[in-house]
Coordinates of all heavy atoms in Angstrom, one line a residue:
M1 N 97.0 -16.9 -41.1 CA 96.8 -15.5 -41.6 C 98.0 -15.1 -42.4 O 99.2 -15.2 -41.9 CB 96.6 -14.6 -40.4 CG 96.4 -13.2 -40.8 SD 96.1 -12.1 -39.3 CE 94.3 -12.3 -39.1
T2 N 97.8 -14.7 -43.6 CA 98.9 -14.3 -44.5 C 99.4 -12.9 -44.0 O 98.7 -12.2 -43.3 CB 98.4 -14.2 -45.9 OG1 97.4 -13.2 -46.0 CG2 97.9 -15.6 -46.4
Y3 N 100.5 -12.5 -44.5 CA 101.1 -11.2 -44.2 C 100.1 -10.1 -44.6 O 99.8 -9.2 -43.9 CB 102.4 -11.0 -44.9 CG 103.1 -9.7 -44.6 CD1 103.5 -9.4 -43.3 CD2 103.2 -8.7 -45.6 CE1 104.1 -8.2 -43.0 CE2 103.7 -7.5 -45.3 CZ 104.2 -7.2 -44.0 OH 104.8 -6.0 -43.8
I4 N 99.6 -10.2 -45.9 CA 98.8 -9.1 -46.4 C 97.5 -9.0 -45.6 O 97.0 -8.0 -45.3 CB 98.5 -9.3 -47.9 CG1 97.8 -8.0 -48.4 CG2 97.6 -10.5 -48.2 CD1 98.7 -6.8 -48.4
S5 N 96.9 -10.2 -45.1 CA 95.7 -10.1 -44.4 C 96.0 -9.5 -43.0 O 95.1 -8.8 -42.4 CB 95.0 -11.5 -44.2 OG 95.8 -12.4 -43.5
Y6 N 97.2 -9.7 -42.5 CA 97.5 -9.1 -41.2 C 97.6 -7.6 -41.4 O 97.1 -6.8 -40.5 CB 98.9 -9.6 -40.8 CG 99.4 -8.9 -39.5 CD1 98.9 -9.3 -38.3 CD2 100.4 -7.9 -39.6 CE1 99.4 -8.7 -37.1 CE2 100.8 -7.3 -38.5 CZ 100.3 -7.7 -37.2 OH 100.8 -7.0 -36.1
I7 N 98.1 -7.1 -42.5 CA 98.2 -5.7 -42.7 C 96.8 -5.1 -42.9 O 96.5 -4.0 -42.4 CB 99.0 -5.4 -44.0 CG1 100.4 -5.8 -43.9 CG2 98.9 -3.9 -44.4 CD1 101.2 -5.1 -42.8
L8 N 95.9 -5.8 -43.5 CA 94.6 -5.2 -43.8 C 93.6 -5.4 -42.6 O 92.6 -4.6 -42.6 CB 94.0 -5.9 -45.1 CG 94.7 -5.6 -46.4 CD1 94.1 -6.3 -47.5 CD2 94.7 -4.1 -46.7
A9 N 93.8 -6.3 -41.7 CA 92.9 -6.5 -40.6 C 92.9 -5.3 -39.7 O 93.9 -4.7 -39.5 CB 93.3 -7.7 -39.8
D10 N 91.7 -4.9 -39.2 CA 91.7 -3.7 -38.3 C 91.5 -4.2 -36.9 O 91.8 -5.4 -36.6 CB 90.6 -2.8 -38.8 CG 89.2 -3.4 -38.8 OD1 89.0 -4.4 -38.2 OD2 88.3 -2.8 -39.5
A11 N 91.0 -3.4 -36.0 CA 90.9 -3.7 -34.6 C 90.0 -4.9 -34.3 O 90.1 -5.5 -33.3 CB 90.3 -2.5 -33.9
T12 N 89.2 -5.3 -35.3 CA 88.3 -6.5 -35.1 C 89.1 -7.8 -35.3 O 88.7 -8.8 -35.0 CB 87.1 -6.5 -36.0 OG1 87.6 -6.5 -37.4 CG2 86.3 -5.3 -35.9
G13 N 90.3 -7.7 -35.9 CA 91.1 -8.8 -36.1 C 90.9 -9.5 -37.4 O 91.5 -10.6 -37.7
H14 N 90.0 -9.0 -38.2 CA 89.8 -9.6 -39.5 C 89.6 -8.5 -40.6 O 89.4 -7.4 -40.2 CB 88.6 -10.6 -39.5 CG 87.3 -9.9 -39.1 ND1 86.9 -9.8 -37.9 CD2 86.4 -9.3 -39.9 CE1 85.7 -9.2 -37.8 NE2 85.4 -8.9 -39.1
I15 N 89.6 -8.9 -41.8 CA 89.4 -8.0 -42.9 C 88.0 -7.7 -43.1 O 87.2 -8.6 -43.1 CB 90.0 -8.5 -44.2 CG1 91.5 -8.7 -44.0 CG2 89.8 -7.6 -45.4 CD1 92.2 -9.5 -45.2
A16 N 87.6 -6.4 -43.2 CA 86.2 -6.1 -43.4 C 85.8 -6.5 -44.8 O 86.4 -6.1 -45.8 CB 86.0 -4.6 -43.3
T17 N 84.9 -7.5 -44.9 CA 84.5 -8.1 -46.2 C 83.0 -7.9 -46.4 O 82.2 -8.4 -45.6 CB 84.8 -9.6 -46.1 OG1 86.2 -9.8 -45.7 CG2 84.6 -10.3 -47.5
P18 N 82.6 -7.1 -47.4 CA 81.2 -6.9 -47.6 C 80.4 -8.1 -48.1 O 80.9 -8.8 -49.0 CB 81.2 -5.7 -48.7 CG 82.5 -5.9 -49.4 CD 83.5 -6.5 -48.4
E19 N 79.3 -8.3 -47.6 CA 78.4 -9.3 -48.1 C 77.8 -8.7 -49.4 O 77.4 -7.6 -49.5 CB 77.2 -9.5 -47.1 CG 77.3 -10.7 -46.3 CD 76.0 -11.1 -45.6 OE1 75.0 -10.8 -46.1 OE2 76.2 -11.6 -44.5
P20 N 77.8 -9.5 -50.5 CA 77.2 -9.1 -51.7 C 75.8 -8.6 -51.5 O 75.0 -9.2 -50.7 CB 77.3 -10.3 -52.6 CG 78.3 -11.2 -52.0 CD 78.3 -10.9 -50.5
A21 N 75.3 -7.6 -52.2 CA 74.0 -7.1 -52.2 C 73.6 -6.5 -50.8 O 72.4 -6.3 -50.5 CB 73.0 -8.2 -52.5
S22 N 74.6 -6.1 -50.0 CA 74.3 -5.4 -48.8 C 74.7 -4.0 -48.8 O 74.7 -3.3 -47.8 CB 75.0 -6.1 -47.6 OG 76.4 -5.9 -47.6
Y23 N 75.1 -3.5 -50.0 CA 75.5 -2.1 -50.1 C 74.4 -1.1 -50.0 O 73.4 -1.2 -50.7 CB 76.2 -1.8 -51.4 CG 77.3 -2.9 -51.7 CD1 77.3 -3.6 -52.9 CD2 78.3 -3.1 -50.9 CE1 78.2 -4.5 -53.3 CE2 79.3 -4.0 -51.2 CZ 79.3 -4.7 -52.4 OH 80.2 -5.6 -52.7
T24 N 74.5 -0.1 -49.1 CA 73.5 0.9 -49.0 C 74.2 2.3 -48.8 O 75.3 2.3 -48.2 CB 72.5 0.7 -47.8 OG1 73.3 0.4 -46.6 CG2 71.5 -0.4 -48.0
M25 N 73.5 3.3 -49.3 CA 74.0 4.6 -49.1 C 73.8 5.0 -47.6 O 72.8 4.8 -47.0 CB 73.2 5.6 -49.9 CG 73.5 5.5 -51.4 SD 72.6 6.9 -52.3 CE 71.5 5.9 -53.3
E26 N 74.9 5.5 -47.0 CA 74.8 5.9 -45.6 C 73.8 7.0 -45.4 O 73.0 7.0 -44.4 CB 76.2 6.4 -45.1 CG 76.1 6.7 -43.6 CD 77.5 7.1 -43.1 OE1 78.1 8.0 -43.8 OE2 77.8 6.7 -42.0
N27 N 73.6 7.9 -46.4 CA 72.7 9.0 -46.3 C 71.4 8.6 -47.0 O 71.3 8.7 -48.2 CB 73.2 10.3 -46.9 CG 74.6 10.6 -46.3 OD1 74.8 10.6 -45.1 ND2 75.5 11.0 -47.1
G28 N 70.5 8.0 -46.3 CA 69.2 7.7 -46.9 C 68.9 6.2 -47.0 O 67.7 5.8 -47.0
G29 N 69.9 5.3 -46.9 CA 69.6 3.9 -46.8 C 69.2 3.2 -48.1 O 68.8 2.1 -48.1
A30 N 69.3 3.9 -49.2 CA 68.9 3.3 -50.5 C 70.0 2.4 -51.0 O 71.2 2.6 -50.6 CB 68.6 4.4 -51.5
P31 N 69.7 1.4 -51.8 CA 70.8 0.6 -52.3 C 71.8 1.4 -53.0 O 71.5 2.4 -53.8 CB 70.1 -0.3 -53.3 CG 68.6 -0.3 -52.8 CD 68.4 1.0 -52.2
A32 N 73.1 1.1 -52.8 CA 74.2 1.9 -53.3 C 74.9 1.2 -54.5 O 74.9 0.0 -54.6 CB 75.2 2.2 -52.3
R33 N 75.3 2.0 -55.5 CA 76.1 1.5 -56.6 C 77.5 1.9 -56.4 O 77.8 3.1 -56.4 CB 75.5 2.1 -57.9 CG 74.0 1.8 -58.1 CD 73.4 2.9 -59.0 NE 73.5 4.2 -58.4 CZ 73.1 5.3 -59.1 NH1 72.6 5.3 -60.3 NH2 73.3 6.5 -58.5
L34 N 78.4 1.0 -56.3 CA 79.8 1.3 -56.0 C 80.5 2.0 -57.1 O 81.5 2.6 -56.9 CB 80.5 0.0 -55.7 CG 80.0 -0.8 -54.5 CD1 80.9 -2.0 -54.3 CD2 80.0 0.1 -53.2
L35 N 79.9 2.0 -58.3 CA 80.6 2.7 -59.4 C 80.3 4.2 -59.5 O 80.9 4.9 -60.3 CB 80.2 2.0 -60.8 CG 80.7 0.6 -60.9 CD1 80.2 0.0 -62.3 CD2 82.2 0.5 -60.9
Y36 N 79.3 4.6 -58.7 CA 78.9 6.0 -58.7 C 79.4 6.8 -57.5 O 79.0 6.5 -56.4 CB 77.4 6.1 -58.8 CG 76.9 5.5 -60.1 CD1 76.7 4.2 -60.3 CD2 76.6 6.4 -61.2 CE1 76.2 3.6 -61.5 CE2 76.1 5.9 -62.4 CZ 75.9 4.5 -62.6 OH 75.5 4.0 -63.8
A37 N 80.2 7.8 -57.7 CA 80.7 8.6 -56.6 C 79.7 9.2 -55.8 O 79.8 9.4 -54.6 CB 81.7 9.7 -57.2
E38 N 78.5 9.6 -56.4 CA 77.5 10.3 -55.7 C 76.7 9.3 -54.7 O 76.0 9.8 -53.8 CB 76.4 10.9 -56.6 CG 75.7 9.9 -57.5 CD 76.3 9.8 -58.8 OE1 77.5 9.9 -59.0 OE2 75.6 9.5 -59.8
D39 N 77.0 8.0 -54.7 CA 76.3 7.1 -53.8 C 77.1 7.0 -52.5 O 76.7 6.3 -51.6 CB 76.2 5.7 -54.4 CG 75.0 5.7 -55.4 OD1 74.4 6.8 -55.7 OD2 74.7 4.6 -55.9
Y40 N 78.3 7.5 -52.5 CA 79.2 7.4 -51.3 C 78.8 8.5 -50.2 O 78.4 9.5 -50.6 CB 80.7 7.5 -51.7 CG 81.1 6.3 -52.4 CD1 80.8 6.0 -53.7 CD2 81.9 5.3 -51.7 CE1 81.2 4.9 -54.4 CE2 82.3 4.1 -52.4 CZ 81.9 3.9 -53.7 OH 82.3 2.8 -54.3
P41 N 79.1 8.3 -48.9 CA 79.7 7.0 -48.4 C 78.7 5.8 -48.4 O 77.5 6.0 -48.3 CB 80.0 7.4 -46.9 CG 79.1 8.6 -46.6 CD 78.9 9.3 -47.9
V42 N 79.3 4.7 -48.6 CA 78.5 3.4 -48.7 C 78.8 2.6 -47.5 O 79.9 2.5 -47.0 CB 78.9 2.6 -50.0 CG1 78.3 1.2 -50.0 CG2 78.5 3.4 -51.2
I43 N 77.7 2.0 -46.9 CA 77.9 1.1 -45.8 C 77.4 -0.3 -46.3 O 76.6 -0.4 -47.2 CB 77.1 1.5 -44.5 CG1 75.6 1.7 -44.8 CG2 77.8 2.8 -43.9 CD1 74.8 2.1 -43.5
A44 N 77.9 -1.3 -45.6 CA 77.5 -2.7 -45.9 C 77.6 -3.6 -44.7 O 78.1 -3.1 -43.7 CB 78.4 -3.2 -47.1
V45 N 77.2 -4.8 -44.8 CA 77.3 -5.8 -43.8 C 78.5 -6.6 -43.9 O 78.8 -7.1 -45.0 CB 76.0 -6.7 -43.8 CG1 76.2 -7.8 -42.7 CG2 74.7 -5.9 -43.6
C46 N 79.3 -6.7 -42.9 CA 80.6 -7.5 -42.9 C 80.2 -9.0 -43.0 O 79.5 -9.5 -42.1 CB 81.5 -7.2 -41.8 SG 83.0 -8.2 -41.7
K47 N 80.7 -9.7 -44.0 CA 80.4 -11.1 -44.1 C 81.0 -11.9 -43.0 O 80.5 -13.0 -42.6 CB 81.0 -11.6 -45.5 CG 80.6 -13.0 -45.9 CD 80.7 -13.1 -47.4 CE 82.1 -12.9 -47.9 NZ 82.3 -13.2 -49.3
V48 N 82.1 -11.4 -42.4 CA 82.8 -12.2 -41.3 C 82.1 -12.1 -40.0 O 81.8 -13.1 -39.3 CB 84.2 -11.7 -41.2 CG1 85.0 -12.5 -40.1 CG2 84.9 -11.9 -42.6
C49 N 81.7 -10.8 -39.6 CA 81.2 -10.6 -38.2 C 79.8 -10.1 -38.2 O 79.2 -10.0 -37.1 CB 82.1 -9.7 -37.4 SG 82.1 -8.0 -38.0
G50 N 79.2 -9.7 -39.3 CA 77.9 -9.2 -39.3 C 77.8 -7.7 -38.9 O 76.7 -7.1 -38.8
G51 N 78.9 -7.1 -38.6 CA 79.0 -5.7 -38.3 C 78.9 -4.8 -39.5 O 78.7 -5.3 -40.6
T52 N 78.9 -3.5 -39.2 CA 78.7 -2.5 -40.2 C 80.1 -2.1 -40.7 O 81.0 -1.8 -39.9 CB 78.0 -1.3 -39.7 OG1 76.7 -1.7 -39.3 CG2 77.8 -0.3 -40.8
I53 N 80.3 -2.1 -42.0 CA 81.5 -1.6 -42.6 C 81.2 -0.5 -43.6 O 80.1 -0.4 -44.1 CB 82.3 -2.7 -43.3 CG1 81.5 -3.4 -44.4 CG2 82.8 -3.8 -42.2 CD1 82.2 -4.5 -45.1
K54 N 82.2 0.3 -43.9 CA 82.0 1.5 -44.7 C 83.1 1.8 -45.6 O 84.2 1.6 -45.4 CB 81.8 2.7 -43.6 CG 81.6 4.0 -44.2 CD 81.4 5.0 -43.1 CE 81.2 6.4 -43.5 NZ 81.0 7.4 -42.4
L55 N 82.7 2.4 -46.8 CA 83.6 3.0 -47.7 C 83.3 4.5 -47.8 O 82.1 4.8 -48.1 CB 83.5 2.4 -49.1 CG 84.2 1.1 -49.4 CD1 83.9 0.7 -50.9 CD2 85.7 1.2 -49.2
D56 N 84.2 5.4 -47.5 CA 83.9 6.8 -47.5 C 83.9 7.4 -48.9 O 83.1 8.2 -49.3 CB 84.9 7.6 -46.7 CG 84.7 7.3 -45.2 OD1 83.6 7.6 -44.7 OD2 85.6 6.8 -44.5
H57 N 84.8 6.9 -49.7 CA 85.0 7.4 -51.1 C 85.2 6.3 -52.1 O 85.6 5.2 -51.8 CB 86.3 8.3 -51.1 CG 86.3 9.4 -50.1 ND1 85.5 10.5 -50.1 CD2 87.1 9.4 -49.0 CE1 85.8 11.2 -49.1 NE2 86.7 10.6 -48.3
K58 N 84.8 6.6 -53.3 CA 85.0 5.6 -54.4 C 86.4 5.2 -54.5 O 86.7 4.0 -54.9 CB 84.5 6.3 -55.7 CG 84.4 5.3 -56.8 CD 83.9 6.0 -58.1 CE 83.9 5.0 -59.2 NZ 84.0 5.7 -60.5
T59 N 87.4 6.0 -54.2 CA 88.8 5.7 -54.3 C 89.4 5.0 -53.1 O 90.5 4.5 -53.2 CB 89.6 7.0 -54.5 OG1 89.3 7.9 -53.5 CG2 89.3 7.6 -55.9
Q60 N 88.6 4.8 -52.0 CA 89.1 4.1 -50.9 C 89.1 2.6 -51.2 O 88.1 2.0 -51.7 CB 88.1 4.3 -49.7 CG 88.6 3.7 -48.4 CD 87.6 4.0 -47.2 OE1 87.0 5.1 -47.2 NE2 87.5 3.1 -46.3
M61 N 90.2 1.9 -51.0 CA 90.3 0.5 -51.4 C 89.8 -0.5 -50.4 O 89.4 -1.5 -50.8 CB 91.8 0.2 -51.7 CG 92.4 1.1 -52.9 SD 91.4 1.0 -54.4 CE 91.8 -0.7 -54.9
E62 N 89.9 -0.2 -49.1 CA 89.5 -1.2 -48.1 C 88.3 -0.7 -47.3 O 88.3 0.5 -46.9 CB 90.7 -1.4 -47.1 CG 91.9 -2.0 -47.8 CD 92.9 -0.9 -48.2 OE1 92.8 0.2 -47.6 OE2 93.7 -1.1 -49.1
W63 N 87.4 -1.6 -47.1 CA 86.3 -1.3 -46.2 C 86.9 -1.3 -44.8 O 87.9 -1.9 -44.5 CB 85.3 -2.5 -46.3 CG 84.6 -2.6 -47.6 CD1 85.0 -3.2 -48.7 CD2 83.3 -2.0 -47.9 NE1 84.1 -3.1 -49.7 CE2 83.0 -2.4 -49.2 CE3 82.3 -1.3 -47.2 CZ2 81.8 -2.0 -49.8 CZ3 81.2 -1.0 -47.8 CH2 80.9 -1.3 -49.1
R64 N 86.2 -0.5 -43.9 CA 86.6 -0.5 -42.5 C 85.3 -0.6 -41.7 O 84.3 -0.2 -42.1 CB 87.4 0.8 -42.2 CG 86.6 2.1 -42.4 CD 87.4 3.3 -42.1 NE 86.7 4.5 -42.4 CZ 85.8 5.1 -41.5 NH1 85.6 4.6 -40.3 NH2 85.1 6.2 -41.9
H65 N 85.5 -1.2 -40.5 CA 84.4 -1.4 -39.6 C 84.0 0.0 -38.9 O 84.9 0.8 -38.6 CB 84.8 -2.4 -38.5 CG 84.9 -3.8 -39.0 ND1 86.1 -4.3 -39.5 CD2 84.0 -4.8 -39.0 CE1 85.9 -5.5 -39.8 NE2 84.6 -5.9 -39.6
V66 N 82.7 0.2 -38.8 CA 82.3 1.4 -38.1 C 81.2 1.0 -37.1 O 80.5 0.0 -37.2 CB 81.7 2.4 -39.1 CG1 82.8 3.0 -40.0 CG2 80.6 1.8 -39.9
P67 N 81.1 1.8 -36.0 CA 80.2 1.4 -34.9 C 78.8 1.9 -35.1 O 78.2 2.6 -34.3 CB 80.8 2.1 -33.7 CG 81.5 3.3 -34.2 CD 82.0 2.9 -35.6
I68 N 78.2 1.7 -36.3 CA 76.8 2.0 -36.6 C 76.2 0.8 -37.1 O 76.8 -0.2 -37.5 CB 76.7 3.2 -37.6 CG1 77.4 2.9 -38.9 CG2 77.1 4.5 -36.9 CD1 77.2 3.9 -40.0
K69 N 74.9 0.8 -37.2 CA 74.1 -0.4 -37.6 C 73.7 -0.3 -39.1 O 73.2 0.8 -39.5 CB 72.8 -0.4 -36.8 CG 72.0 -1.7 -37.0 CD 72.5 -2.9 -36.3 CE 71.7 -4.1 -36.6 NZ 72.5 -5.3 -36.8
A70 N 74.0 -1.3 -39.8 CA 73.6 -1.4 -41.2 C 72.6 -2.5 -41.4 O 72.6 -3.4 -40.6 CB 74.8 -1.6 -42.1
A71 N 71.7 -2.3 -42.4 CA 70.8 -3.4 -42.7 C 70.8 -3.6 -44.2 O 71.1 -2.7 -44.9 CB 69.4 -3.0 -42.2
R72 N 70.5 -4.8 -44.6 CA 70.4 -5.0 -46.0 C 69.2 -4.2 -46.6 O 68.2 -4.0 -45.9 CB 70.1 -6.5 -46.3 CG 71.3 -7.4 -46.0 CD 70.9 -8.8 -46.2 NE 72.0 -9.7 -45.7 CZ 72.2 -10.0 -44.4 NH1 71.5 -9.5 -43.5 NH2 73.3 -10.7 -44.1
P73 N 69.3 -3.7 -47.8 CA 68.2 -3.0 -48.4 C 67.0 -4.0 -48.5 O 67.1 -5.2 -48.6 CB 68.7 -2.7 -49.8 CG 70.1 -2.9 -49.8 CD 70.5 -3.9 -48.7
A74 N 65.8 -3.4 -48.3 CA 64.6 -4.2 -48.3 C 64.5 -4.8 -49.7 O 64.8 -4.1 -50.7 CB 63.4 -3.3 -48.0
P75 N 64.1 -6.0 -49.9 CA 63.9 -6.6 -51.2 C 62.8 -5.8 -51.9 O 61.9 -5.3 -51.3 CB 63.6 -8.0 -51.0 CG 63.1 -8.1 -49.6 CD 63.8 -7.0 -48.8
P76 N 62.9 -5.8 -53.3 CA 61.8 -5.1 -54.0 C 60.4 -5.7 -53.7 O 60.3 -6.9 -53.6 CB 62.2 -5.4 -55.5 CG 63.6 -5.7 -55.5 CD 63.9 -6.4 -54.1
G77 N 59.5 -4.8 -53.5 CA 58.1 -5.2 -53.2 C 57.8 -5.4 -51.7 O 56.7 -5.6 -51.4
D78 N 58.8 -5.2 -50.9 CA 58.6 -5.3 -49.4 C 58.5 -3.9 -48.9 O 59.5 -3.2 -48.8 CB 59.8 -6.0 -48.8 CG 59.6 -6.2 -47.3 OD1 58.5 -5.8 -46.8 OD2 60.4 -6.8 -46.6
D79 N 57.3 -3.5 -48.6 CA 57.1 -2.1 -48.2 C 57.2 -1.8 -46.7 O 56.9 -0.7 -46.3 CB 55.7 -1.6 -48.7 CG 55.7 -1.5 -50.3 OD1 56.8 -1.3 -50.8 OD2 54.6 -1.6 -50.8
K80 N 57.5 -2.8 -46.0 CA 57.5 -2.6 -44.5 C 58.9 -2.1 -44.0 O 59.9 -2.3 -44.6 CB 57.3 -4.0 -43.8 CG 55.8 -4.4 -44.1 CD 55.4 -5.5 -43.2 CE 53.9 -5.8 -43.4 NZ 53.5 -7.1 -42.9
Ligands
ZN101 ZN1 83.8 -7.8 -39.7

């Protein structure tokens, strides 16, 4: 573990790393666009542990783990 990863790791012991294409708006569950402030807070699936991670603001640099459940957005055409 490098020094910087030690600094960034939270209580889970690893850095919250979002899985690509797992970004969803916390309010509503629609796919989130990280470039748009109105889509925040954004939640995603942690690639390391499968837990839920969150960005509160567009200006927040690091994801953090949160004790809520996230799911990947349903793929287009899947109405269930
Ligand atoms: Zn994790």
Side-chain angles (χ1 to χ4, degrees):
M1 180 179 273
T2 64
Y3 180 70
I4 190 65
S5 66
Y6 176 77
I7 294 297
L8 293 175
D10 59 18
T12 62
H14 61 269
I15 300 172
T17 308
E19 261 192 33
S22 72
Y23 310 126
T24 45
M25 289 186 243
E26 185 178 42
N27 307 316
R33 303 157 299 176
L34 297 183
L35 294 177
Y36 293 83
E38 63 265 29
D39 284 7
Y40 287 78
V42 172
I43 56 176
V45 177
C46 177
K47 188 158 58 174
V48 179
C49 68
T52 301
I53 56 177
K54 180 176 175 180
L55 277 180
D56 288 302
H57 307 287
K58 191 179 173 200
T59 53
Q60 183 180 331
M61 297 305 290
E62 297 93 24
W63 293 83
R64 63 183 175 83
H65 291 87
V66 291
I68 55 171
K69 185 81 182 136
R72 289 175 188 81
D78 184 358
D79 291 336
K80 291 193 176 161

